[in-house]
Amino acid sequence: AVSLQNVRKTYQLGEPVHALDGVSLDITRGSYTAIMGPSGSGKSTLMNLVGCLDTPTEGTVIVDGADVATLDDRERTTLRGTTVGFVFQTFNLMPRLTALENVALPQLFQNVGRGERRERARELLERVGLADRADHLPNELSGGQRQRVALARALVNDPALVLADEPSGNLDTETEADVLDLFAEFHGGGTTMIVVTHERHVAERAERIVHLLDGKLERIEDLGSA
Amino acid sequence: AVSLQNVRKTYQLGEPVHALDGVSLDITRGSYTAIMGPSGSGKSTLMNLVGCLDTPTEGTVIVDGADVATLDDRERTTLRGTTVGFVFQTFNLMPRLTALENVALPQLFQNVGRGERRERARELLERVGLADRADHLPNELSGGQRQRVALARALVNDPALVLADEPSGNLDTETEADVLDLFAEFHGGGTTMIVVTHERHVAERAERIVHLLDGKLERIEDLGSA
Ligand SMILES: Nc1ncnc2c1ncn2[C@@H]1O[C@H](COP(=O)(O)OP(=O)(O)OP(=O)(O)O)[C@@H](O)[C@H]1O
Ligand SMILES: Nc1ncnc2c1ncn2[C@@H]1O[C@H](COP(=O)(O)OP(=O)(O)OP(=O)(O)O)[C@@H](O)[C@H]1O
Ligand SMILES: [Mg+2]
Ligand SMILES: [Mg+2]
């Protein structure tokens, strides 16, 4: 489903910053991959490339058969809206929409009527334990509640590929367990999962762990399919 | 140093939301307290009251001998600038200032010259492993790097009280260990520490753990001074 070939992402800030420094990686359809590595090692940068939010400085990123760099803005937006569900490290909720409206938003890419969109959004909010926060704005929610709204939003279109960047950093053990079960459920339904995490116990729910270090692929650790 | 007496924080959103539902708690000067509890249980709300960013709906919050509700805006701002170091769950960095400038900023409350402010800020950035990121803007930093800048900023005035809301949610194990050592060092120097965390191993660095549940104080767990 996803392939990175000799990918580099370099920022010019006086001296160049090699956020990704030559990464090659294949992610098969329906697999469950965790990504670990020190703060600043390039995890979010990698996720942004796979999620078509950014293009590499060098190398090739292929998502669902398409070379991301050859797509125009509209094609990239469509790919993101229909195929990719992204849980951002900084959530990125729309501040003037309620939790329910935020979760319902990606469905505008589908041919789904308003009633059905609300229904589906409400369902997912319930799965992340936020049924009673549907009408709250983001600034009327706790950190972990915002994180869960971002999560529900990423899953609402039942995307082929889910990218979750630190999805449980703000969640207590119990709430995190519910989220991981939800991921396992989607994975069981055929969704390709890529989860960035700092926590070993979260990474161990995947089939393998990709370890990044200073923008490079340090090693791939196989955990075996459960 | 800090005392909460029958504190309530209620939001009126159609039906009332009891973010804090009658909390009484004493925090002695120089102590190290961790706060744990499910997502949405009132931890950040409690921290905002102690940090004088907010006033209770009912009850009394006393910080450094002063009843927070009786202070005017200017007095509250001064108290925050000189006495309290706050690491926010959402970092709240100034987007147009570099990492160094963000860390140096609280020192404007002190009678410290510009050269000395830069020196001190650089020192702290080094302690959190970001010496080589001093000139980056927040959007040129990774999630964990922003978190560490927020941390350094909270410590720069050597405040009497440090409030850290989920200080290591975005940090890998090694970086987190450095941060916890830094906290231990400040605590050893007499600083009163209050740390909100979802992770047991972070909470266990404190002398006791305050457990919140649905806006109430569920129990206090004594860990004994190390
Ligand atoms: N402005 C607001 N209006 C209405 N409800 C609010 C507002 N701010 C917070 N809340 C609610 O108050 C409760 C406590 O929020 P708080 O941010 O203190 O939780 P928390 O313990 O820090 O959670 P987390 O671990 O997820 O960060 C939550 O249920 C939240 O929905
Ligand atoms: N716009 C930018 N300009 C310059 N450097 C950048 C920019 N964005 C990111 N970086 C740098 O690229 C490196 C990789 O960043 P990235 O966000 O991918 O790290 P990460 O592995 O996600 O870290 P964390 O675990 O802290 O979230 C970091 O060292 C960061 O400082
Ligand atoms: Mg990141
Ligand atoms: Mg919180």
Side-chain angles (χ1 to χ4, degrees):
Chain A
V2 177
S3 176
L4 282 81
Q5 297 158 9
N6 300 311
V7 168
R8 292 179 180 290
K9 184 68 187 182
T10 308
Y11 296 103
Q12 295 295 349
L13 263 215
E15 41 175 90
V17 175
H18 300 289
L20 284 181
D21 200 10
V23 173
S24 296
L25 178 65
D26 283 320
I27 295 191
T28 56
R29 175 192 286 255
S31 62
Y32 194 152
T33 304
I35 301 178
M36 297 189 82
S39 172
S41 55
K43 305 179 299 297
S44 295
T45 303
L46 193 154
M47 294 289 263
N48 288 341
L49 293 175
V50 172
C52 308
L53 290 159
D54 199 5
T55 48
T57 311
E58 284 181 50
T60 313
V61 178
I62 299 176
V63 177
D64 219 23
D67 179 341
V68 171
T70 65
L71 303 176
D72 62 36
D73 273 354
R74 204 175 61 79
E75 290 169 317
R76 209 173 297 153
T77 303
T78 305
L79 185 61
R80 287 206 306 270
T82 57
T83 306
V84 183
F86 208 133
V87 189
F88 296 91
Q89 191 168 8
T90 48
F91 317 156
N92 298 355
L93 300 179
M94 317 260 9
R96 295 195 194 151
L97 299 184
T98 64
L100 188 72
E101 291 165 338
N102 264 287
V103 175
L105 202 58
Q107 292 175 101
L108 295 177
F109 279 99
Q110 315 282 7
N111 255 338
V112 177
R114 192 170 180 276
E116 193 176 336
R117 289 206 304 275
R118 293 277 146 147
E119 188 58 30
R120 172 82 173 151
R122 215 172 270 287
E123 213 174 291
L124 270 152
L125 275 179
E126 204 154 316
R127 288 302 308 271
V128 296
L130 292 178
D132 61 352
R133 289 286 181 270
D135 302 327
H136 284 230
L137 295 175
N139 68 358
E140 295 165 342
L141 293 172
S142 76
Q145 289 169 345
R146 285 174 210 158
Q147 189 158 38
R148 284 180 275 159
V149 173
L151 231 136
R153 178 181 64 180
L155 300 174
V156 75
N157 276 346
D158 198 11
L161 173 64
V162 168
L163 305 177
D165 196 347
E166 307 270 0
S168 63
N170 286 286
L171 302 178
D172 55 283
T173 316
E174 216 159 303
T175 314
E176 178 183 77
D178 294 341
V179 166
L180 294 179
D181 289 346
L182 191 55
F183 281 2
E185 195 173 306
F186 271 74
H187 176 238
T191 308
T192 308
M193 310 289 302
I194 306 178
V195 176
V196 168
T197 180
H198 282 304
E199 300 185 77
R200 182 79 198 181
H201 68 273
V202 173
E204 287 179 344
R205 299 285 294 257
E207 293 164 328
R208 61 176 193 162
I209 304 176
V210 168
H211 294 273
L212 291 188
L213 185 61
D214 295 331
K216 291 186 172 69
L217 177 61
E218 185 196 27
R219 62 184 169 109
I220 296 183
E221 181 185 354
D222 241 307
L223 299 173
S225 309
Chain B
V2 177
S3 176
L4 282 80
Q5 298 158 9
N6 299 311
V7 167
R8 294 179 180 288
K9 184 69 187 180
T10 308
Y11 296 104
Q12 294 295 350
L13 262 215
E15 40 177 272
V17 176
H18 300 289
L20 284 181
D21 200 11
V23 173
S24 297
L25 179 63
D26 283 319
I27 296 192
T28 56
R29 175 193 284 258
S31 62
Y32 193 152
T33 305
I35 302 179
M36 296 188 83
S39 172
S41 55
K43 306 179 298 296
S44 295
T45 303
L46 193 153
M47 294 289 263
N48 288 342
L49 292 176
V50 172
C52 308
L53 290 160
D54 199 4
T55 47
T57 311
E58 283 180 49
T60 312
V61 178
I62 300 175
V63 177
D64 219 23
D67 179 340
V68 172
T70 64
L71 304 175
D72 61 36
D73 273 353
R74 202 175 64 79
E75 290 168 318
R76 212 174 295 151
T77 303
T78 305
L79 185 62
R80 287 206 306 267
T82 56
T83 307
V84 183
F86 208 132
V87 189
F88 295 91
Q89 191 169 8
T90 49
F91 318 155
N92 297 355
L93 301 178
M94 317 259 11
R96 295 194 195 151
L97 299 183
T98 64
L100 187 72
E101 291 165 339
N102 263 288
V103 175
L105 201 59
Q107 293 174 101
L108 294 177
F109 279 99
Q110 315 282 9
N111 256 337
V112 177
R114 192 169 178 277
E116 193 177 334
R117 289 205 304 274
R118 294 277 147 150
E119 188 57 32
R120 171 82 172 150
R122 216 172 270 287
E123 214 173 291
L124 270 154
L125 275 180
E126 205 155 316
R127 287 303 308 273
V128 296
L130 291 177
D132 60 352
R133 289 286 181 270
D135 302 327
H136 284 231
L137 295 175
N139 68 357
E140 293 165 344
L141 293 172
S142 77
Q145 289 169 344
R146 284 175 212 158
Q147 188 158 38
R148 283 180 276 160
V149 172
L151 232 137
R153 179 182 64 180
L155 300 174
V156 75
N157 276 346
D158 197 10
L161 172 65
V162 168
L163 305 176
D165 196 347
E166 308 269 1
S168 64
N170 286 288
L171 302 178
D172 55 283
T173 316
E174 216 159 303
T175 314
E176 178 183 76
D178 294 340
V179 165
L180 294 179
D181 289 346
L182 191 55
F183 281 3
E185 195 172 306
F186 271 74
H187 176 239
T191 308
T192 309
M193 311 288 302
I194 307 178
V195 176
V196 167
T197 180
H198 282 304
E199 300 185 77
R200 183 78 200 182
H201 69 274
V202 172
E204 286 178 344
R205 298 288 292 256
E207 294 163 327
R208 61 177 193 162
I209 304 176
V210 168
H211 293 272
L212 291 189
L213 185 61
D214 294 331
K216 290 188 173 71
L217 177 61
E218 184 195 28
R219 63 188 169 106
I220 296 182
E221 181 184 354
D222 241 308
L223 298 173
S225 309

